[in-house]
Amino acid sequence: ALQTVRASRVDWGQTTSTVGSAGAGSAVGRTQSRQTTQMSTRHEPVHVGAPPGGLSDWAITPLHFNGFADLPTTEGVEVRSPLFSCFGHQWITAIYPGGDIDSNDGYVALFLANRTEEYIEIVYKYVIKHPNGGGDISISNRYGNLRMFSPMDSDGDAVNDAWPVRANNNFMLRSTLMNYLVDGTLIVEVHMR
């Protein structure tokens, strides 16, 4: 019988087995030798907490809003992303395909919410790439400055301009976003650093 030893990365060990013959005159078995390779999958690094030093490269989380054309277009109705992690915090992005109550007619609203019980200060932006190589949509938080997010269940802090949710009530016209769908999916990249 073959025996394989598995290693966490690569097992270049020999596996041997004895093969015997049941026929007459076959009293001696022969030994076969085979090499078995076991590979493991390498995942991207997982960062816990904010990286040291100044602003780092962008951490990018692509969110796929599948069937965007069929999402509800009633004002104030949101579609939330699942929780995602960045810089040791949990986040949700909510899209309002019909706009929020403070949106102009025809505009989609996009919200980013801190779902962790700690403050964090980041720069963020949304990027939607044109599927045919046209101009991409890139919208930064106000002035591209650091923005403070307060803990998820807080009422915010007006003095320090820290809020658990940051809203872009007039993110982009829905009619414009319809030209950016990839097989019916609106892909919104959330960039943070």
Side-chain angles (χ1 to χ4, degrees):
L2 273 177
Q3 296 177 350
T4 303
V5 178
R6 296 179 191 266
S8 62
R9 290 233 180 237
V10 177
D11 178 11
W12 293 105
Q14 296 255 63
T15 301
T16 59
S17 63
T18 303
V19 178
S21 170
S26 177
V28 179
R30 68 181 196 275
T31 302
Q32 291 183 331
S33 179
R34 295 185 188 156
Q35 282 195 328
T36 303
T37 304
Q38 299 291 326
M39 302 295 288
S40 58
T41 302
R42 175 176 224 108
H43 294 275
E44 292 298 315
V46 175
H47 295 275
V48 179
L55 292 179
S56 63
D57 291 334
W58 292 104
I60 302 170
T61 304
L63 303 174
H64 291 230
F65 292 95
N66 298 313
F68 179 77
D70 297 326
L71 295 179
T73 57
T74 305
E75 182 182 272
V77 175
E78 71 179 9
V79 176
R80 287 186 176 192
S81 73
L83 282 172
F84 61 95
S85 181
C86 188
F87 302 131
H89 282 247
Q90 296 291 307
W91 304 89
I92 287 178
T93 295
I95 192 166
Y96 293 74
D100 191 30
I101 56 172
D102 295 323
S103 300
N104 294 335
D105 286 342
Y107 277 84
V108 170
L110 203 56
F111 288 30
L112 179 62
N114 175 21
R115 303 304 299 156
T116 305
E117 288 293 341
E118 295 177 10
Y119 283 86
I120 186 170
E121 193 170 31
I122 62 167
V123 175
Y124 70 94
K125 66 180 176 180
Y126 304 108
V127 175
I128 301 174
K129 298 188 178 196
H130 195 282
N132 301 320
D136 295 341
I137 296 171
S138 179
I139 297 180
S140 298
N141 60 294
R142 189 172 54 185
Y143 312 118
N145 295 333
L146 282 168
R147 306 304 295 167
M148 179 67 74
F149 282 81
S150 61
M152 68 177 183
D153 292 326
S154 72
D155 292 331
D157 177 355
V159 172
N160 294 308
D161 191 27
W163 309 99
V165 177
R166 294 289 179 166
N168 189 323
N169 291 312
N170 295 305
F171 175 69
M172 185 61 54
L173 283 168
R174 184 175 187 280
S175 58
T176 300
L177 293 178
M178 296 300 287
N179 296 318
Y180 284 77
L181 302 184
V182 177
D183 296 326
T185 299
L186 180 66
I187 303 170
V188 178
E189 293 181 353
V190 180
H191 293 229
M192 296 183 192
R193 66 177 180 187

